[in-house]
Amino acid sequence: MYDAQMSELKSDTDQAGEGRLAHAASDHPPVRRGRIGVILSNLGTPDATDYWSMRRYLSEFLSDRRVIDYSPWIWQPLLQLIILSKRPFSSGEAYRGIWNNEADESPLLTTTRNQAEKVASAVAKVFGDDVIVDFCMRYGNPSTQSVIKKLKEQGCERIVFFPLYPQYSAPTTATANDQAFRALMKMNWQPSVRTVPAYYQHPLYIEALAQSVEKAYAALETKPDILVTSYHGVPQRYLMEGDPYHCQCQKTTRLLKERLGWSDTDIKVTFQSKFGPEEWLQPYTVEEVARLAESGKTNIAIMAPAFSSDCVETLEEINEEIKESFEEAGGEHFTYIPCLNDDDAHIDMMMDIIRTELSGWISAR
């Protein structure tokens, strides 16, 4: 039914010329209709590593009530007057250590663009030019609002919004969706939108993780004593308030362990990136890797299943701060297994999810 309607609309447009329906009045503004958009949404990135670029990015990020839910009357003076007077310098230094100097952008931006281009190529083979693929950032550029507006102007009446977070949490998936809905609130003619749910147990996601582990282990002379799956942390109270993130992280690791055919002692769940004074999900990665080294596990591997792309939390925090904690405690061999990034198995998983979400909207050619 939808394909027939779209063909009819295209026929009307063709008869009237580019961007104009046959039955429209002569002074009616051009309207492009009948296409579908797919948006891959990632966390975000500063535009540069200088103080003011970092400050703008961190201010937007840390002002999000999904991320920091303290009262603005308390939090904003602390953030604007104290934290943002110092944090941009240290964060800028961390980003400079991983910056893609050739493209003059963060690795997260480079990888997310590559993912979108590969997904677009795969989508075109199945749906032709009826589906447009793009990407956006929750914080920074390209902004969610600008990409939704661009797709609308390209004739997209329907949009699949795909937050690239395997495990659902309010500070990640929910805030990405919030931003998409805010963009829609500013539009007189809104496209219909579907949001992709968490995919922490999707078979192709688990398979892609397993293949990345197997590939990394095959390149090592000695198998690591244990694999640490390090997830980005959230405050402990989020779990108590009903956020499913902790449980979904645990299930991802359990499914990975089962796919690899390992025992419980071969793999360990930890949480990184603690911020602020309150208790976060534990064990903390930086402390746990030191404990492992002290207990005799001096050869470990570590991966970050909650990140769809390598970023400052993996390339800088894991490969520097966490690695240093491990080595200072007596660790000898530290192997970081990269995120899935634009690996073909990861793209295949995204494509499988997109095909499912497009069901009822369009059929493969």
Side-chain angles (χ1 to χ4, degrees):
M1 177 64 73
Y2 173 74
D3 289 344
Q5 291 174 341
M6 187 164 66
S7 296
E8 182 179 346
L9 287 170
K10 281 187 172 181
S11 177
D12 285 345
T13 302
D14 291 342
Q15 293 172 22
E18 177 65 25
R20 190 176 301 283
L21 298 176
H23 61 268
S26 59
D27 60 348
H28 194 284
V31 177
R32 298 192 64 178
R33 304 183 62 182
R35 306 176 87 179
I36 299 173
V38 174
I39 301 177
L40 306 182
S41 173
N42 217 325
L43 177 71
T45 174
D47 294 325
T49 62
D50 62 277
Y51 174 84
W52 290 108
S53 295
M54 292 303 310
R55 183 177 178 116
R56 283 193 300 272
Y57 171 71
L58 290 172
S59 181
E60 182 182 11
F61 176 43
L62 296 175
S63 294
D64 186 350
R65 293 295 303 280
R66 291 282 198 182
V67 175
I68 306 292
D69 60 358
Y70 302 148
S71 168
W73 294 101
I74 299 173
W75 175 243
Q76 280 300 319
L78 178 63
L79 175 65
Q80 300 298 331
L81 298 177
I82 300 177
I83 296 175
L84 291 181
S85 66
K86 300 178 180 180
R87 185 81 180 251
F89 291 110
S90 59
S91 293
E93 182 180 357
Y95 269 96
R96 282 191 290 275
I98 66 166
W99 202 250
N100 180 349
N101 292 312
E102 183 178 350
D104 192 22
E105 62 188 24
S106 73
L108 178 71
L109 179 56
T110 302
T111 300
T112 307
R113 181 188 297 109
N114 291 343
Q115 290 170 335
E117 290 175 353
K118 287 191 173 184
V119 169
S121 178
V123 163
K125 293 177 182 177
V126 179
F127 301 107
D129 60 0
D130 294 331
V131 179
I132 305 173
V133 178
D134 210 330
F135 72 96
C136 71
M137 298 294 171
R138 168 60 184 90
Y139 314 104
N141 296 302
S143 70
T144 303
Q145 180 177 343
S146 68
V147 174
I148 290 179
K149 182 175 182 290
K150 181 170 69 172
L151 290 180
K152 177 65 171 56
E153 292 172 347
Q154 290 178 288
C156 293
E157 295 182 336
R158 294 167 169 81
I159 291 175
V160 171
F161 189 75
F162 194 158
L164 294 176
Y165 308 109
Q167 298 79 21
Y168 177 95
S169 185
T172 53
T173 310
T175 191
N177 290 337
D178 288 347
Q179 196 71 350
F181 300 145
R182 289 190 193 99
L184 294 176
M185 289 171 64
K186 299 178 181 179
M187 303 176 74
N188 289 332
W189 184 5
Q190 298 175 331
S192 298
V193 174
R194 287 178 177 172
T195 59
V196 173
Y199 51 94
Y200 63 98
Q201 59 183 349
H202 192 287
L204 293 183
Y205 166 63
I206 301 300
E207 180 62 26
L209 290 177
Q211 288 182 17
S212 71
V213 173
E214 291 170 339
K215 180 180 178 180
Y217 273 41
L220 299 174
E221 293 184 5
T222 305
K223 180 182 177 181
D225 301 318
I226 192 168
L227 171 65
V228 176
T229 54
S230 180
Y231 295 86
H232 196 289
V234 296
Q236 176 73 21
R237 61 185 168 84
Y238 284 21
L239 171 62
M240 300 298 102
E241 293 169 356
D243 192 298
Y245 180 71
H246 178 267
C247 299
Q248 292 183 359
C249 292
Q250 296 286 349
K251 186 162 187 180
T252 292
T253 293
R254 177 175 65 80
L255 292 174
L256 174 61
K257 177 198 69 176
E258 293 172 355
R259 159 60 180 80
L260 293 169
W262 290 0
S263 66
D264 290 343
T265 57
D266 292 324
I267 196 165
K268 177 75 175 180
V269 174
T270 64
F271 298 91
Q272 65 182 84
S273 307
K274 181 181 182 298
F275 178 82
E278 67 178 304
E279 184 176 310
W280 280 36
L281 296 178
Q282 296 186 41
Y284 301 134
T285 304
V286 69
E287 297 177 0
E288 184 63 16
V289 296
R291 190 196 66 78
L292 289 170
E294 291 167 354
S295 69
K297 295 186 183 300
T298 59
N299 181 359
I300 70 169
I302 186 168
M303 67 189 306
F307 295 92
S308 63
S309 308
D310 275 307
C311 54
V312 70
E313 285 87 354
T314 62
L315 298 175
E316 195 276 336
E317 184 180 0
I318 290 181
N319 263 328
E320 294 188 24
E321 178 187 352
I322 291 171
K323 180 181 180 181
E324 182 179 333
S325 175
F326 174 70
E327 292 177 342
E328 287 182 350
E332 298 175 2
H333 302 287
F334 184 95
T335 300
Y336 171 63
I337 300 174
C339 294
L340 297 178
N341 295 318
D342 61 350
D343 184 83
D344 288 345
H346 197 200
I347 302 303
D348 289 344
M349 180 218 73
M350 292 185 195
M351 187 60 190
D352 187 74
I353 291 174
I354 290 168
R355 290 185 68 146
T356 298
E357 295 302 323
L358 289 175
S359 298
W361 280 2
I362 191 171
S363 300
R365 289 189 169 184

